[in-house]
Amino acid sequence: MAAVCVFCSGKSDAPESFFELARETGRGLAQEGHSLIYGGGGLGMMGELAKAAHAAGVSVTGVMPEGLVALERASAEVDELIVSPDLAARKALMIEKADAFLILPGGLGTLDELFEVWTTGPQLRLHAKPLVLLDADGFYSGLVTWLESQPLISPTLLGAVTVAPTLDDAWAALR
């Protein structure tokens, strides 16, 4: 059993297909025998992910900065809620506790988390944990194309992130 940290949107106005993807991910964690570490929010994709995972019997750990507990409505669908002093401590705790990372569609916060894990792992070699970017419906394809065009990002670093077009491909990459 791996502790999979899932980063995704906490916004409530995401397309319904993304909410369903979050629910599928929660159920998939149970099927794959993993536990969940996530941002702790009860809204948006984060909330749907936690509800589905918890309902499927997954152990759910939420990590939330103190200042966001009320704003993002800390989820009741957690087995453990860790309140950190700030966002930097939140990311450090999530990276420490996770065995692997799965990135679903999200906004700037999700991108920040993606780049933090990517930088601390493959670039700085502070961890060697798998990192999978779920490119659902081409959500991240523009970003991936742009990153591949950048001369200061080595092919080795690009290759350290698995870009998965489907959730099944993501689970296969995490096995």
Side-chain angles (χ1 to χ4, degrees):
M1 174 200 275
V4 177
C5 182
V6 178
F7 296 123
C8 62
S9 176
K11 294 185 67 135
S12 297
D13 60 353
E16 177 56 36
S17 62
F18 289 167
F19 291 129
E20 182 53 35
L21 177 62
R23 291 187 287 268
E24 287 176 33
T25 302
R27 293 187 295 267
L29 287 163
Q31 292 168 347
E32 294 290 321
H34 299 310
S35 61
L36 170 63
I37 298 170
Y38 86 115
L43 302 175
M45 291 175 67
M46 279 200 288
E48 294 301 308
L49 170 70
K51 285 180 208 166
H54 196 261
V58 171
S59 173
V60 178
T61 300
V63 183
M64 202 171 220
E66 188 173 13
L68 293 181
V69 171
L71 183 67
E72 289 187 355
R73 295 191 196 153
S75 177
E77 309 295 329
V78 296
D79 297 293
E80 178 183 21
L81 179 64
I82 300 169
V83 178
S84 66
D86 54 37
L87 282 169
R90 172 200 218 178
K91 289 184 287 187
L93 280 166
M94 294 170 97
I95 291 169
E96 176 188 323
K97 291 185 165 297
D99 298 312
F101 301 91
L102 176 58
I103 315 300
L104 302 183
L108 289 177
T110 303
L111 290 172
D112 176 53
E113 292 157 338
L114 162 66
F115 287 115
E116 180 85 13
V117 171
W118 198 359
T119 301
T120 57
Q123 183 166 351
L124 299 177
R125 296 186 180 113
L126 299 176
H127 66 81
K129 300 173 183 183
L131 175 56
V132 178
L133 182 65
L134 182 56
D135 189 26
D137 297 325
F139 186 84
Y140 287 112
S141 60
L143 175 65
V144 170
T145 299
W146 180 80
L147 289 167
E148 290 171 342
S149 75
Q150 298 308 301
L152 299 178
I153 302 175
S154 74
T156 302
L157 285 177
L158 290 170
V161 177
T162 301
V163 179
T166 68
L167 194 51
D168 285 340
D169 294 323
W171 295 131
L174 291 171
R175 285 189 196 111

